[in-house]
Amino acid sequence: MLYNLLVPLSEYWSALNLFKYITFRSIGATLTALLLSFLIGPWLIRSLQKLQSIGQPIRSDGPQRHILEKSGTPTMGGTLILLAMAVPTLLWANLTNPFIQMVLATTLSFGAIGFWDDYRKITRRNSKGISARMRFFLQSLIALLVAYTLKSLDPGNLFGALSIPFFKNLAVDLGLFYFPFAILVIVGTSNAVNLTDGLDGLAIGPTLFTAATFLIIAYVTGHSHFANYLGIPYVAGAGELAIFCGAMVGAALGFLWFNTYPAQVFMGDVGSLALGAALGTVGMITRHEIVLAIVGGIFVVETLSVIVQVASFKLIGKRVFRMAPIHHHFELKGWAEPKIIVRFWIISIILALIGISTLKIR
Ligand code: 57M
């Protein structure tokens, strides 16, 4: 909004030219998100505690430690994350940019699905929530809408191909498969973050590192000189997503302040589903879906561990892991929770660096 209001006034006061720069507005969004998180966080956690008498319903079949140590922790802290992402984006981004409108709408609608799921769990005092089928149907509908909008926005067959990293301007045309592909990327990332969110800070850390990586990717993808120099597809207007990613970094850092071990609050599905959808949508718009899978490798491994576990159990009646997702496996091996979390963060940072390197290695 500030961009739309203040840049036209820069002819009267040249200092307002600052608001033209995506770098300046990205930093503004990050700091605003952080400030909002610190200002609202304590009050919101107290409110969630009052509203949720028993807090997050802890499943009985999980690691027994969770029942002892985590009962009573309030959930739905994701409402803080979404607030700290949406307000700075509305404040600092160019609101006429269709990609900003799309990524905000997608993030908030996945957040609404998660809110409904969390609300059901709390009011019914069990960890069931809405049916997986209903959740997948609603998520897929939104993902298809994103794909359709990208195709209709398409200036010149920009969207519809899968860019291959490490090769200059190499892309595979997906044709109609672009639509199920959008479901795979957006709904897949959303549920992968959801599965990962099973230990204090375990999901928000990799989300932070992924958002920071895509702040850089969005900036260079939306910059014709950099895109041309790096040999990556130029997506006019994608640079504004750097401001959204900046807000996401600030909101994630702010939430981590309260979610770090031992967590005062869990993000809930309202947070995990929304954050994953946000990353998936940014990955689609910047045409860096494979790089998203690399940078978000922790989310991929967590999901694969569940698929392997369920498949193995169904096919040969044996478990591959002591428990899936894989963070529970390490818990049952006796690793302390902070040790699992920080080691997953270290791997996530390494994957983020590899992701950034794909911009240059072509
Ligand atoms: C999302 N939710 C956490 C919290 C968070 C198919 C199967 C793998 C599904 C999976 C599942 O139910 N996943 C749901 C993970 C839950 O966290 C809540 O959910 C939100 C995220 N969506 O924000 O509100 C619990 O995680 C712990 N937690 C923390 N700190 C945090 O910051 O400690 C969360 C955030 C919280 C808290 O204890 O209650 C979760 O784990 O459910 N199911 C599982 O992951 C279960 N695995 C399983 O069934 N494995 C089977 C088969 C099916 C693969 C097997 O290995 O044989 C495990 N999860 C739990 N109990 N809780 C084991 C059973």
Side-chain angles (χ1 to χ4, degrees), residues 56-63 66 70 75-76 118 121 127 193-202 259 263 265-269 272 305-306 309-310 313 319 321-325 327-328 337:
Q56 167 78 45
I58 309 282
R59 290 170 55 153
S60 57
D61 56 351
H66 282 228
K70 298 171 181 284
T75 185
M76 296 181 80
D118 287 331
K121 285 176 195 163
S127 59
V193 175
N194 182 42
L195 282 178
T196 306
D197 194 35
L199 294 177
D200 299 352
L202 188 68
N259 182 239
V265 67
F266 299 149
M267 69 170 74
D269 288 25
S272 57
S305 71
V306 171
Q309 180 87 330
V310 173
F313 198 66
R319 287 185 160 83
F321 305 97
R322 293 185 186 202
M323 184 181 282
H327 56 263
H328 287 314
E337 183 167 351

Side-chain angles (χ1 to χ4, degrees), residues 248-299:
M248 200 165 172
V249 167
L253 217 47
F255 180 71
L256 181 58
W257 185 272
F258 305 104
N259 182 239
T260 186
Y261 180 84
Q264 294 165 257
V265 67
F266 299 149
M267 69 170 74
D269 288 25
V270 61
S272 57
L273 295 182
L275 290 171
L279 293 174
T281 307
V282 170
M284 295 284 294
I285 297 171
T286 58
R287 295 192 51 193
H288 276 72
E289 300 90 349
I290 294 178
V291 173
L292 175 63
I294 295 170
V295 177
I298 286 289
F299 304 128

Side-chain angles (χ1 to χ4, degrees), residues 1-52:
M1 180 170 57
L2 295 174
Y3 171 86
N4 307 97
L5 291 176
L6 299 179
V7 168
L9 302 176
S10 58
E11 60 179 297
Y12 306 109
W13 185 23
S14 61
L16 294 177
N17 269 312
L18 255 182
F19 287 88
K20 271 185 192 161
Y21 297 103
I22 287 175
T23 42
F24 172 73
R25 288 188 285 130
S26 298
I27 294 167
T30 302
L31 295 176
T32 309
L34 255 176
L35 184 68
L36 270 177
S37 303
F38 291 144
L39 289 175
I40 300 173
W43 166 81
L44 183 87
I45 292 168
R46 282 196 303 275
S47 309
L48 290 172
Q49 259 156 349
K50 280 195 202 106
L51 286 168
Q52 304 167 21

Side-chain angles (χ1 to χ4, degrees), residues 88-339:
T89 302
L90 291 170
L91 202 57
W92 293 95
N94 173 3
L95 301 184
T96 62
N97 180 295
F99 298 137
I100 287 290
Q101 294 162 9
M102 181 189 298
V103 75
L104 264 183
T106 308
T107 304
L108 295 176
S109 47
F110 271 70
I113 296 169
F115 187 95
W116 183 17
D117 199 18
D118 287 331
Y119 185 77
R120 272 281 184 89
K121 285 176 195 163
I122 291 159
T123 48
R124 295 187 175 180
R125 299 198 172 184
N126 67 41
S127 59
K128 292 277 177 296
I130 54 178
S131 75
R133 197 186 299 266
M134 168 59 84
R135 201 167 73 173
F136 183 74
F137 170 73
L138 293 172
Q139 290 173 326
S140 303
L141 217 55
I142 298 163
L144 288 174
L145 211 55
V146 169
Y148 175 76
T149 313
L150 286 176
K151 290 294 282 179
S152 54
L153 271 177
D154 208 348
N157 198 26
L158 202 56
F159 300 108
L162 174 62
S163 299
I164 311 296
F166 305 111
F167 296 93
K168 274 188 187 295
N169 293 319
L170 174 63
V172 175
D173 185 28
L174 296 173
L176 277 179
F177 285 104
Y178 185 65
F179 291 92
F181 177 68
I183 294 178
L184 173 70
V185 174
I186 298 173
V187 180
T189 313
S190 178
N191 287 302
V193 175
N194 182 42
L195 282 178
T196 306
D197 194 35
L199 294 177
D200 299 352
L202 188 68
I204 201 67
T207 299
L208 197 166
F209 307 133
T210 307
T213 303
F214 272 83
L215 188 161
I216 298 167
I217 289 173
Y219 181 78
V220 296
T221 302
H223 195 295
S224 59
H225 297 300
F226 284 134
N228 187 34
Y229 165 72
L230 293 168
I232 59 177
Y234 167 59
V235 181
E240 279 298 308
L241 290 175
I243 289 130
F244 175 79
C245 290
M248 200 165 172
V249 167
L253 217 47
F255 180 71
L256 181 58
W257 185 272
F258 305 104
N259 182 239
T260 186
Y261 180 84
Q264 294 165 257
V265 67
F266 299 149
M267 69 170 74
D269 288 25
V270 61
S272 57
L273 295 182
L275 290 171
L279 293 174
T281 307
V282 170
M284 295 284 294
I285 297 171
T286 58
R287 295 192 51 193
H288 276 72
E289 300 90 349
I290 294 178
V291 173
L292 175 63
I294 295 170
V295 177
I298 286 289
F299 304 128
V300 174
V301 166
E302 287 267 339
T303 305
L304 289 178
S305 71
V306 171
I307 293 168
V308 165
Q309 180 87 330
V310 173
S312 157
F313 198 66
K314 282 192 173 152
L315 292 174
I316 55 171
K318 284 197 172 33
R319 287 185 160 83
V320 173
F321 305 97
R322 293 185 186 202
M323 184 181 282
I326 196 165
H327 56 263
H328 287 314
H329 173 78
F330 291 113
E331 264 191 298
L332 299 186
K333 277 186 75 171
W335 289 24
E337 183 167 351
K339 185 184 281 275

Side-chain angles (χ1 to χ4, degrees), residues 209-210 213 291 294-296 347-357:
F209 307 133
T210 307
T213 303
V291 173
I294 295 170
V295 177
I347 293 166
S348 185
I349 290 168
I350 293 167
L351 292 171
L353 294 173
I354 292 169
I356 294 168
S357 73

